[in-house]
Amino acid sequence: MTRNRKALADATIYPFWLDNPAAPETCGHLIGATDADLAIVGGGFTGLWTAILAKQRNPGRDVVLIEAGKIAHGASGRPGGIVSTSVMHGLINAARVFPKDLAALERMGKDNLDGWRKTIEDYGIDADLEWTGEMTVAVDKRHLAEIDEEYALASAHGHTVVKLNREETQAEVNSPLYQGAMWSRERSGTVHPAKLAWGLRRVALELGVRIYEHTPMTGVEDNGGTLTILTHDGRIKAPRVLFATNAWAAGHPHIRRRIVAVRDRVLATEPLTDEQLSRLGWKHRQGVYDTRTQLNYTRLTRDNRIIFGGRVGYYFNDQTDPEADRRIGTYDQLAGYFFKTFPQLEDVRFTHAWSGPIDLSMRLAVHFQRYYGGKGVWAGGYSGFGVTTTRFGAGIGLDILDGHEGPDLDLDFARTLPRPIPPEPLRWIGAKLTMYALDEVDEKGGWRKAWVNLVHKMGFPL
Ligand SMILES: Cc1cc2nc3c(=O)[nH]c(=O)nc-3n(C[C@H](O)[C@H](O)[C@H](O)COP(=O)(O)OP(=O)(O)OC[C@H]3O[C@@H](n4cnc5c(N)ncnc54)[C@H](O)[C@@H]3O)c2cc1C
């Protein structure tokens, strides 16, 4: 058996975060017809934050949320759980997509993060939050320019950031791959995402939100002044509907024009012993992203496991539940990257392997699709960067639904849509070629680099 397969031999294919006795009993499913002032479809972070914000803004509003499966069993119970301030997938991406609005987006990101934190603290949600910062590490000397660029931007926008050279970076987190880093020390860190979602669910219920799990939306009827959301055993009539369905919306003929449903893979190790931890350093326990084009991200859990993620895959027709991701062999390559990153941990085994859906958009950031004459809004497109941004997406989605106006809602991020993505079979061919190229572009270059540059020129951020 190979080293990777041996390390994966006892792993359960299920998210470590959800494999927890703290998981709440599910709410019953919807039976019969009901009315509401606001209906929410989807019980991940976007749906939960929409419900909470709607109640906080107007406690008298009657809010119903339906979830196809269980709360947080979509992306929200599966991420790395690295907490970031930006609402646009990082400063470099924000500067790429909305350069003239950068200052406003930075202000909104800081306000959003502070509101996110305040709700967690005010309602006593125990989500293993650690305000340890996030570190972008260069895994190749050629990537140090990217660190310089991010550092200049972050400093100019008032972030508390430190630039580290090779030795300083490896003193923080001991990987021979790490060549330098930027450590952003404020408003960022790590969270247990499932405990957060379960806490938000509790808050929503306490505020009077009606939640129905195992209740997939099967259709929508437009009745003029209201929409009716159809489910297997019931229906909800509401004048406003927020669709918080993340990558599943890639099955929708209109929404899918702007997003691709990709899968991202993650591994969790067994808890490290003190001796194993001492081989790593990592005393400050930062969340870590690397600069590889097919990036890896990693962090520690409260019980000192390493979470290590990041091998994106695409399946024909935007599949959100591919058979391949239920086979352990699919996680082989990611395990290989783990050992390349931390070769001193050859004796460590994985306990969990899983994948999750990502709603990739050309902007790599949340956008808002309006339907049914403005009675329905789909909020998504976070592109794998939504642990805190989903609260922002929920708030803006609600503003749009409620017809609010103001300078922030006039900005391009709220008014405009990302560029469309080609349909099948071009989507599949393009995605496959790109992912194949990305796997080794940094090491091998050649045609891979030419292809990645071409895709980049077409407007897809890589
Ligand atoms: C592997 C992975 C790693 C990630 N790591 C990070 C990270 O470290 N930091 C970060 O900021 N972000 C990260 N993200 C992104 C972040 O997790 C997501 O952006 C965020 O959770 C999206 O929340 P959501 O509520 O929009 O979607 P989801 O949590 O996916 O919720 C959508 C819900 O809609 C439900 N639904 C779908 N169709 C229907 C229907 N017809 N009827 C009713 N319900 C329906 C689904 O069942 C699902 O529960 C990661 C994502 C993945 C997958």
Side-chain angles (χ1 to χ4, degrees):
M1 211 188 289
T2 65
R3 173 201 57 188
N4 300 348
R5 201 49 82 79
K6 219 153 82 189
L8 284 164
D10 300 323
T12 309
I13 302 189
Y14 192 68
F16 162 71
W17 309 119
L18 296 171
D19 187 7
N20 190 308
E25 289 285 307
T26 51
C27 299
H29 79 286
L30 176 67
I31 302 175
T34 188
D35 289 1
D37 298 320
L38 171 70
I40 299 163
V41 182
F45 289 139
T46 302
L48 291 165
W49 278 114
T50 305
I52 291 170
L53 290 171
K55 280 294 199 180
Q56 286 177 332
R57 290 177 187 184
N58 177 0
R61 175 148 48 177
D62 186 17
V63 180
V64 170
L65 182 155
I66 59 168
E67 161 55 45
K70 292 187 194 176
I71 294 288
H73 277 237
S76 300
R78 296 163 187 269
I82 299 175
V83 171
S84 313
T85 313
S86 171
V87 285
M88 288 290 139
H89 207 127
L91 258 169
I92 291 186
N93 190 55
R96 177 184 72 87
V97 286
F98 300 118
K100 72 178 172 42
D101 299 331
L102 198 49
L105 289 165
E106 275 291 290
R107 170 189 38 83
M108 287 186 248
K110 288 176 184 168
D111 288 351
N112 178 59
L113 204 281
D114 292 344
W116 184 86
R117 179 175 187 162
K118 186 170 180 339
T119 305
I120 293 172
E121 290 175 356
D122 284 356
Y123 289 95
I125 298 175
D126 171 16
D128 299 358
L129 253 170
E130 296 191 47
W131 294 104
T132 47
E134 59 178 331
M135 207 161 81
T136 315
V137 297
V139 289
D140 186 312
K141 286 202 181 101
R142 288 167 298 179
H143 298 175
L144 288 170
E146 201 177 306
I147 300 287
D148 290 342
E149 184 189 352
E150 198 177 352
Y151 179 73
L153 268 174
S155 307
H157 287 276
H159 292 264
T160 312
V161 282
V162 189
K163 203 159 74 165
L164 306 174
N165 64 24
R166 184 172 183 273
E167 289 69 34
E168 289 162 339
T169 307
Q170 295 187 7
E172 287 298 329
V173 184
N174 185 13
S175 166
L177 298 185
Y178 295 174
Q179 303 299 317
M182 186 191 88
W183 179 9
S184 182
R185 304 197 58 165
E186 219 187 342
R187 292 196 176 85
S188 51
T190 59
V191 69
H192 187 306
K195 283 170 79 173
L196 172 61
W198 296 329
L200 295 175
R201 171 189 181 276
R202 171 187 45 90
V203 172
L205 289 169
E206 283 171 9
L207 292 173
V209 176
R210 287 182 282 150
I211 297 181
Y212 299 99
E213 292 175 71
H214 300 296
T215 304
M217 173 183 77
T218 53
V220 184
E221 283 172 3
D222 189 348
N223 323 303
T226 56
L227 294 178
T228 300
I229 301 300
L230 305 174
T231 70
H232 290 303
D233 298 322
R235 47 177 52 220
I236 309 157
K237 196 157 89 177
R240 301 276 176 270
V241 180
L242 195 296
F243 298 98
T245 49
N246 188 15
W248 282 269
H252 185 287
H254 295 299
I255 299 173
R256 74 180 298 175
R257 292 189 60 215
R258 318 265 168 194
I259 57 163
V260 182
V262 296
R263 305 293 296 180
D264 195 24
R265 283 79 182 232
V266 190
L267 299 171
T269 67
E270 59 197 348
L272 301 192
T273 62
D274 288 347
E275 190 279 317
Q276 285 167 330
L277 258 182
S278 72
R279 296 181 219 157
L280 264 181
W282 219 340
K283 293 221 166 58
H284 292 109
R285 305 174 64 83
Q286 309 90 331
V288 176
Y289 289 106
D290 74 31
T291 50
R292 239 189 302 253
T293 323
Q294 256 280 38
L295 95 158
N296 288 123
Y297 46 89
T298 185
R299 55 157 298 180
L300 294 168
T301 62
R302 182 175 272 180
D303 64 351
N304 291 331
R305 295 162 193 269
I306 299 177
I307 301 292
F308 190 85
R311 299 312 292 171
V312 171
Y314 177 75
Y315 297 90
F316 193 77
N317 241 348
D318 295 288
Q319 265 192 66
T320 46
D321 188 20
E323 170 64 32
D325 283 16
R326 294 194 287 276
R327 287 197 293 266
I328 201 69
T330 302
Y331 301 88
D332 225 64
Q333 207 183 17
L334 183 58
Y337 273 93
F338 174 91
F339 289 118
K340 213 164 152 186
T341 309
F342 302 123
Q344 71 276 45
L345 295 181
E346 288 262 349
D347 53 337
V348 167
R349 299 281 172 271
F350 302 106
T351 57
H352 296 76
W354 68 94
S355 74
I358 287 188
D359 48 356
L360 197 64
S361 66
M362 285 285 222
R363 278 186 196 158
L364 289 188
V366 62
H367 68 274
F368 306 89
Q369 300 194 25
R370 293 146 169 92
Y371 292 100
Y372 308 108
K375 296 190 288 292
V377 168
W378 178 84
Y382 305 99
S383 306
F385 203 91
V387 165
T388 55
T389 311
T390 39
R391 179 181 178 277
F392 173 76
I396 298 289
L398 262 184
D399 283 336
I400 294 172
L401 273 179
D402 288 343
H404 290 167
E405 289 174 7
D408 289 350
L409 294 165
D410 279 341
L411 297 180
D412 287 346
F413 85 89
R415 282 189 315 104
T416 64
L417 294 170
R419 284 163 62 178
I421 297 164
E424 297 295 8
L426 288 178
R427 183 175 285 224
W428 183 82
I429 296 167
K432 282 289 163 194
L433 257 177
T434 307
M435 280 162 195
Y436 187 72
L438 284 180
D439 267 347
E440 289 181 318
V441 65
D442 296 326
E443 292 87 357
K444 295 197 176 153
W447 72 266
R448 296 169 180 82
K449 195 154 186 63
W451 174 257
V452 169
N453 285 342
L454 178 70
V455 176
H456 195 73
K457 281 211 180 84
M458 283 158 62
F460 224 109
L462 297 171

